Amino acid sequence: MGEGCKVIPTSYKQNVEVFTISSANFNPIKDTIKEKEKTDDKKQESESEGCFAKMNNFIQRQLGSTKILVHILICIFAIASWADLNGMWAELPLLVMKVKEGWNLPSYIIIISQVANIGPLIFVVVSFLQPQLKPRLEKITSFVIILISMVASFLTAFFWEQSSYIGGVEHSVALLTLNFFLALGDCTSSVSFYAFMSHMKPEYMASLFIGEGLSGMLPALIALGQGAGQINCINSSSQVNETLPDGTSFIKTVYNVFPQYVEPSFSVRVFFIILSGIIALSAVAFLLLNFWSYCKSEMVVAPPDEKYKVPPSSGANGADYGSMDTSKLVSDAEKSLLKGQDGPYTAEQSTVDETNGELVNGHNHSPSLLDVNQSNSGNQLIKSEQGSSSSLTLSDQHTHSELSSLSYASLLGIIVIINMTVTAFLPSIQIYTVLPYGLEYYHLTTTLTQIANPVSCFFSLFLMAENIGIILVMTALGEVCVGYLIYVASTSPEPPLHDVTTGGELALALWIVLTALLTYSKVCCASVLRKQGRNALIFAGAATQTGALIGAIVGFVLVNEYHLFADAPFC
């Protein structure tokens, strides 16, 4: 080699070779990377779809043979139960500033609401004196009270400030009169709505309580958005003249903190108009439940003894509780015999002949019957055919056992106690249990307890405790929390731990826990009683109103007559 020739090191030549190869194959590698990214994206989409499918399958398994849309409609229908009266309580901070009764208005509302218990009393009496009126009685009554609540809420929006003189004293006659009709509808719903639910599959009972929970939460959230009851603590100072014993005078600066209500974002009139619109939606939902065939298929047929018997759950090989799906009860050959031209069998077109106990079709002539006996489950499927119509009911020979008198009385007693404490008495002393710890704890309590109610009802859709022992334990735990809060209220304005933050946090936590526990216990009681038939649910509704009546009277007497609870300052 000549002097001008340079020898390239071997390592450098290898690097050049690698670089050349990489450049030549850049595009294929880029395509491979893109394909891998697409594959990863598809895998992620598949995994997300798989998670969604698993969640959907889980919900479907928990709901059994029921329909999600029917659950939703029952929730909307049940919102009408207490939405209007809860709305009036939510608006109290704005109402008391203008009505003639001032802060005595809550006492008037409580007394008038108890007088309105004449509604459920009449319903119960008529139900037992005229049993032939069922199921029309509960259906007509439920729709009428929804209309009354809707109209009364709408009229309240325009006449709540009107006053008249009675016995020389000025009163808000229009507001108090409309309050009676609001309470009349709400109190009666406790029995008529329960009686109506006896015609639905038992799985839908929890949805009714979810709606009842929402009847408190929705007005509270609307009032929260409105700013009703929101208070700002304003610092102020003033100068006063002070004179010493020797006659020397001087000017002293005094600092004060006083509450000031926040101006609402919209008026009381708009609030009650919104409320009447929500109740109107409940009326629409109720009509759909009764007249839409999609919902009517979820109703059950009552045998002559007024009990709506359904097969008990028997796991994977048996029918789900409340299910009208006969595919788990009969063989394929028997299904082919029972299958009609109009698709699945439904119960909404069937009635029961009270004279002979046979299931007959809505037509005037006798149908042909095909009996299929199942020795395994003891169920008898009875088919009724006429023309193109078909109907099916389950005559169960292996039904849920009857409750003993002690168990029956225990469940009704639990309902009375829960409604006496949570529905009526505790709300009357709520301000004494949390306000001493600070205004923020009071606001959190009123909001979070309204949320805890429907959440615990929703939880019962997936896990229902039907053992009376478990229900008693949960009720006892909830009442322990109630006992502590009553003690806190009795020591207001300086309750235990009032000078540390843990006091307010403890009171707030106990309010949420007792609301969740006792609401869940009440739903479980109603679920067990639902299996005992229509009359049991009517008694459950009567127990609900009895407890509320006792709690309201006790709260009114202790707060307004004996003055056992002392106010704490807002600021």
Side-chain angles (χ1 to χ4, degrees), residues 37 39 84 98 163 247 278 292 332 380 458 469 478 482 484 531 540 560:
E37 289 176 349
T39 303
D84 44 13
K98 293 190 177 182
S163 61
I278 292 175
W292 187 17
D332 292 337
Q380 184 184 48
F458 182 77
V482 172
Y484 177 79
K531 299 172 188 176
N560 295 282

Side-chain angles (χ1 to χ4, degrees), residues 362-379:
H363 300 279
N364 295 327
H365 47 277
S366 300
S368 60
L369 297 177
L370 174 65
D371 296 340
V372 181
N373 294 318
Q374 293 295 314
S375 58
N376 301 9
S377 60
N379 296 304

Side-chain angles (χ1 to χ4, degrees), residues 214-519:
L214 291 175
S215 73
M217 187 178 77
L218 287 179
L221 292 179
I222 296 172
L224 191 63
Q226 180 192 26
Q230 296 295 317
I231 298 175
N232 288 333
C233 292
I234 306 299
N235 293 315
S236 66
S237 61
S238 59
Q239 293 181 335
V240 295
N241 290 322
E242 292 283 345
T243 303
L244 297 177
D246 61 359
T248 305
S249 62
F250 63 96
I251 297 176
K252 179 182 178 181
T253 302
V254 179
Y255 297 94
N256 297 306
V257 179
F258 64 92
Q260 183 181 64
Y261 282 101
V262 177
E263 190 69 23
S265 55
F266 52 87
S267 65
V268 174
R269 172 175 295 183
V270 173
F271 178 88
F272 279 103
I273 290 176
I274 294 173
L275 212 56
S276 62
I278 292 175
I279 299 173
L281 290 178
S282 297
V284 173
F286 184 71
L287 292 175
L288 290 174
L289 288 171
N290 282 278
F291 296 105
W292 187 17
S293 59
Y294 177 84
C295 300
K296 289 172 67 179
S297 64
E298 298 301 283
M299 293 185 176
V300 294
V301 180
D305 64 351
E306 298 184 3
K307 299 260 179 97
Y308 298 82
K309 302 291 188 179
V310 289
S313 177
S314 54
N317 298 324
D320 292 331
Y321 174 74
S323 173
M324 300 296 288
D325 181 7
T326 61
S327 63
K328 297 178 182 179
L329 299 175
V330 295
S331 64
D332 292 337
E334 291 165 336
K335 283 191 290 182
S336 64
L337 290 175
L338 289 174
K339 185 175 181 181
Q341 296 178 352
D342 295 338
Y345 292 101
T346 58
E348 75 276 9
Q349 296 174 343
S350 304
T351 57
V352 175
D353 188 341
E354 299 287 347
T355 59
N356 56 22
E358 293 179 344
L359 176 69
V360 296
N361 197 273
H363 300 279
N364 295 327
H365 47 277
S366 300
S368 60
L369 297 177
L370 174 65
D371 296 340
V372 181
N373 294 318
Q374 293 295 314
S375 58
N376 301 9
S377 60
N379 296 304
Q380 184 184 48
L381 297 174
I382 305 174
K383 180 191 175 186
S384 172
E385 290 185 317
Q386 177 60 41
S388 61
S389 64
S390 60
S391 57
L392 176 71
T393 189
L394 291 175
S395 176
D396 186 27
Q397 298 172 4
H398 180 63
T399 58
H400 293 276
S401 60
E402 295 286 337
L403 284 175
S404 65
S405 299
L406 179 60
S407 298
Y408 202 100
S410 298
L411 291 173
L412 294 179
I414 290 172
I415 293 175
V416 170
I417 292 172
I418 290 175
N419 284 279
M420 180 178 67
T421 53
V422 177
T423 305
F425 180 70
L426 273 187
S428 66
I429 65 169
Q430 185 182 59
I431 194 169
Y432 305 105
T433 63
V434 284
L435 187 59
Y437 298 108
L439 190 59
E440 65 277 9
Y441 289 111
Y442 175 65
H443 283 199
L444 283 173
T445 300
T446 56
T447 303
L448 294 181
T449 51
Q450 295 291 356
I451 296 174
N453 187 309
V455 168
S456 60
C457 294
F458 182 77
F459 177 76
S460 67
L461 276 175
F462 305 99
L463 182 62
M464 183 72 73
E466 297 182 347
N467 183 284
I468 297 179
I470 296 176
I471 296 174
L472 284 171
V473 170
M474 290 190 299
T475 304
L477 291 175
E479 293 301 328
V480 169
C481 299
V482 172
Y484 177 79
L485 290 176
I486 292 176
Y487 171 71
V488 169
S490 65
T491 57
S492 177
E494 294 183 355
L497 305 176
H498 71 280
D499 51 351
V500 292
T501 56
T502 53
E505 294 168 356
L506 176 61
L508 174 61
L510 289 177
W511 265 102
I512 296 173
V513 169
L514 76 87
T515 301
L517 282 175
L518 297 182
T519 300

Side-chain angles (χ1 to χ4, degrees), residues 117-146:
N117 275 304
I118 188 69
L121 179 62
I122 292 174
F123 180 88
V124 171
V125 171
V126 173
S127 294
F128 287 98
L129 293 181
Q130 301 291 331
Q132 70 275 12
L133 294 179
K134 66 175 181 64
R136 290 177 298 166
L137 177 63
E138 46 262 38
K139 291 183 178 181
I140 294 174
T141 302
S142 297
F143 187 66
V144 168
I145 62 178
I146 291 175

Side-chain angles (χ1 to χ4, degrees), residues 432 556-566:
Y432 305 105
F556 179 83
V557 171
L558 295 182
V559 173
N560 295 282
E561 297 298 327
Y562 290 96
H563 305 285
L564 295 183
F565 306 100

